[in-house]
Amino acid sequence: MKKVNKINYDVKDLSLAEQGKLNIEWAAQQMPVLNIIKKRFSREKPLKGLTIAACLHVTKETANLVLTLKEGGANILLCASNPLSTQDDIASSLVKDFEIPVFAIKGEDNKTYYKHLNEVLDSNPQITMDDGADLVSMLHKERRPQAKNIIGSSEETTTGVIRLKAMEKDKELLFPVVAVNDSDTKHLFDNRYGTGQSSIDGIIRATNLLLAGKNFVVCGYGWCSKGVAMRAKGMGANVIVTEIDPVKALEAVMDGFQVMKIGKALKVADIAITATGNKNVISEKMIENMKDGIVLANTGHFNVEINTEYLEKVKKSKRNLRNSLDEYVLRNGKKVYLLADGRLVNLAAAEGHPAEVMDMSFANQAYACEWLLDNKGKLKNKVYALSEKIDHSIASLKLFSMGVSFDRLTAEQKKYLSSWQEGT
Ligand code: NAD
Ligand code: ADE
């Protein structure tokens, strides 16, 4: 841990701050909804005196969330929610220009990653924010006495919400949590359009391959994966979808994609990407039988979707060819190209989602924080979603910022929609 102006921190290099500040400013210009909240927070100081520990991807968009919460009066500390997603210039600027304690270095090993989580929790926060439930998990497994000081937590992503709902089901949850991912203004836009564009961006930055004409396999047809499939199709790839849910598989068929079993799909795939939130999706058996020269990427939360341990086990040789691109030659002579160690390709090989979608995700985070505080002592140890009213207000502000107007129900229509007497 280092110190500057009494601020504890651990970032790569403070001399990167100048570029970081410019990037934070650039993102702010694309985040009008968050800016409106920031202005109100600045006037009302709803978070005055509150300590917040955040474990999020350290990006220019996250920086704008952190500055919004600080403007609301909070003391906020930040660590990374993935060892490879930190933008070092942003981490440096947050420390140097904005006096935020940040603990995050791109490429940190697992030991440092968890040390950084412990460092933000050492601040004794009343609210925690997660992208993947790692802080909540640490509070429940290793730092239980601290949980009684927690008013609540908010969770950004699908995998985190799944973990938290499992804790609620097992009656293990020690405080209330807001599932930000469950807001429509989060998963419909961030997961679909954000992951769709930024994952393709990551694959292209890592490989500079042409997508047109390639066999492009997308594992899953949920919010993220359908976004990736849609964008890959738009760039001229032959997209093949794999699924385990018959309804999603049918949806993919009717959206015009080929659907097949994963083993068969990987035999013809030039590029394959996982986005399921599940483990061992590209398994040992498949790795042996994949097309020679296949490019593998993952954009699901954890690096468990592609069995990289098996790749390591059956490799004859491995070379790093360029940023985020490793070549494996397997014992059977086939080549496999793995992007970003099988971690979130959009954040590790590119810059994550564009600010325009993070605007809505992080407006939800800011509201979640305020809501937890407003409802302090009244909530159960459960996973809550934000109200439809908040969702609608975020969507309306976003539309307003885009110069788009939309219709409202008339009194007659409202009455009609809530009655049953009228018919033909
Ligand atoms: P989702 O639940 O909407 O979709 C997941 C889909 O995967 C489901 O349709 C499910 O049936 C399918 N699936 C599960 N196991 C499968 C298997 N073995 N083979 C094929 N399909 C399978 O979830 P989502 O919101 O799309 O999130 C997916 C993952 O992406 C999660 O881990 C989430 O946390 C993560 N995520 C990443 C980013 C990012 O920036 N890269 C952004 C948001 C979410
Ligand atoms: N998750 C996906 N993209 C992101 C971004 N740009 N910032 C923070 N979290 C993200």
Side-chain angles (χ1 to χ4, degrees), residues 233-339:
K233 183 179 181 179
M235 294 190 76
N238 305 314
V239 178
I240 302 166
V241 169
T242 74
E243 251 296 345
I244 47 91
D245 177 331
V247 176
K248 302 279 175 59
L250 183 60
E251 193 186 358
V253 169
M254 298 227 178
D255 283 346
F257 296 106
Q258 284 187 76
V259 174
M260 55 178 84
K261 283 190 153 189
I262 186 164
K264 190 173 166 200
L266 293 177
K267 282 186 187 151
V268 295
D270 299 303
I271 301 170
I273 180 165
T274 52
T276 68
N278 209 341
K279 72 186 287 196
N280 215 12
V281 176
I282 299 189
S283 66
E284 303 181 2
K285 206 170 100 201
M286 294 163 202
I287 285 174
E288 297 284 355
N289 293 309
M290 287 183 308
K291 184 173 173 183
D292 188 17
I294 191 170
V295 172
L296 295 182
N298 165 55
T299 198
H301 185 77
F302 285 118
N303 59 335
V304 295
E305 305 213 12
I306 302 169
N307 194 334
T308 53
E309 276 172 26
Y310 189 69
L311 268 181
E312 288 293 332
K313 197 169 131 200
V314 295
K315 70 169 192 254
K316 204 158 67 183
S317 63
K318 177 182 176 184
R319 287 190 297 164
N320 177 253
L321 298 189
R322 45 192 258 136
N323 261 347
S324 308
L325 174 53
D326 288 333
E327 177 196 71
Y328 286 79
V329 181
L330 307 188
R331 284 188 311 218
N332 64 12
K334 287 188 185 173
K335 284 184 178 162
V336 173
Y337 296 97
L338 179 69
L339 306 192

Side-chain angles (χ1 to χ4, degrees), residues 2 58 61 70 74 96 105 107 131 149 171 188 193 197 207 209 251 273 296 300 310 338 353 371 409 423:
K2 300 161 197 152
V58 179
E61 293 76 26
K70 187 177 172 172
K96 193 169 170 191
I105 299 172
D131 186 325
N149 304 329
K171 304 210 176 336
L188 283 171
Y193 303 112
Q197 177 168 315
T207 63
L209 284 171
E251 193 186 358
I273 180 165
L296 295 182
Y310 189 69
L338 179 69
H353 301 349
W371 185 83
L409 286 172

Side-chain angles (χ1 to χ4, degrees), residues 57 131 156-160 162 181 186-187 190-192 194-195 198-199 218-226 242-245 248 262 274-281 298-302 305 344-347 352-353:
H57 300 297
D131 186 325
E156 173 79 4
T157 199
T158 318
T159 284
I162 290 171
N181 189 68
K186 200 285 183 178
H187 63 266
D190 170 314
N191 301 29
R192 181 168 36 172
T195 313
S198 61
S199 303
V218 181
C219 302
Y221 204 66
W223 290 112
C224 292
S225 32
K226 72 174 63 167
T242 74
E243 251 296 345
I244 47 91
D245 177 331
K248 302 279 175 59
I262 186 164
T274 52
T276 68
N278 209 341
K279 72 186 287 196
N280 215 12
V281 176
N298 165 55
T299 198
H301 185 77
F302 285 118
E305 305 213 12
L344 298 150
V345 70
N346 63 330
L347 283 142
H353 301 349

